[in-house]
């Protein structure tokens, strides 16, 4: 990446205040499922970091014979920046699930908790959400953008 000459919408020159892209990186990362099995080779993701924003994408298939418990992914490529107000993560995500047994009727989503774990959730109604449970052979794809330190 090289610095570009900033221009405004009208094409006029704009003072950037010395701002230049300070970090660009992309690559692969591997994660695991807390307390559960993942089909071999089916747990890699990709990431792109631009400045302090990181976007990760991943997909995995849960193995057979899952023990009970909530579905949590372990490992992200960069530490998450905690929200100064309440310590929770500041992240935006989307998720798609196949063959996953869900109890709610609303959207599913993924968040990052303060321990750097991916947590999968489903909306039940306007006031409630349920953590998604591990499920034999379910397949999940997701993308998530978060701030890093």
């Amino acid at each position: 990446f090289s610095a570009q000459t900033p221009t405004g919408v009208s094409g006029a020159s704009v003072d950037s205040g010395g701002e230049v892209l300070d970090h660009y990186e992309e690559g692969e990362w591997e994660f695991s499922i807390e307390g559960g099995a993942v089909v071999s080779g089916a747990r890699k993701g990709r990431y792109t970091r631009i400045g302090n924003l990181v976007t990760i994408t991943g997909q995995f298939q849960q193995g057979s014979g899952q023990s009970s418990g909530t579905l949590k992914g372990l490992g992200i490529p960069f530490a998450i920046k905690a929200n100064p107000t309440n310590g929770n993560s500041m992240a935006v995500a989307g998720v798609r699930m196949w063959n996953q047994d869900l109890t709610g009727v609303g959207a599913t989503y993924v968040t990052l908790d303060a321990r750097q774990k991916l947590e999968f959730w489903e909306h039940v109604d306007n006031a409630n959400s349920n953590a998604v449970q591990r499920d034999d052979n379910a397949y999940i794809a997701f993308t998530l953008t978060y701030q890093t330190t």
Side-chain angles (χ1 to χ4, degrees):
F1 264 56
S2 61
Q4 299 177 358
T5 304
T7 57
V9 176
S10 67
S13 181
V14 175
D15 180 14
S16 68
E19 295 177 20
V20 177
L21 183 62
D22 64 350
H23 191 121
Y24 180 86
E25 183 178 340
E26 57 184 39
E28 290 186 347
W29 60 286
E30 192 167 311
F31 56 93
S32 61
I33 300 301
E34 181 178 74
V38 175
V39 174
S40 180
R43 60 176 188 214
K44 289 194 176 184
R46 296 204 45 82
Y47 70 85
T48 302
R49 177 178 175 177
I50 301 173
N52 71 342
L53 288 180
V54 179
T55 298
I56 58 176
T57 58
Q59 56 186 358
F60 61 92
Q61 181 179 0
Q62 299 173 73
S64 59
Q66 294 293 307
S67 59
S68 62
T70 59
L71 180 61
K72 293 184 180 184
L74 303 174
I76 56 175
F78 299 95
I80 191 164
K81 180 179 181 179
N83 181 329
T85 304
N86 59 17
N88 293 330
S89 67
M90 296 181 284
V92 177
V95 63
R96 181 159 184 201
M97 299 180 179
W98 294 267
N99 298 324
Q100 179 72 45
D101 186 21
L102 299 173
T103 58
V105 294
T108 54
Y109 60 99
V110 60
T111 64
L112 279 170
D113 73 7
R115 297 173 307 279
Q116 316 295 315
K117 294 180 184 177
L118 297 162
E119 293 188 334
F120 296 87
W121 294 85
E122 60 175 326
H123 280 290
V124 176
D125 55 38
N126 273 346
N128 299 293
S129 293
N130 289 334
V132 172
Q133 301 298 302
R134 292 191 295 268
D135 198 357
D136 284 356
N137 300 312
Y139 184 82
I140 297 176
F142 62 91
T143 185
L144 182 133
T145 299
Y146 65 94
Q147 289 184 324
T148 188
T149 53

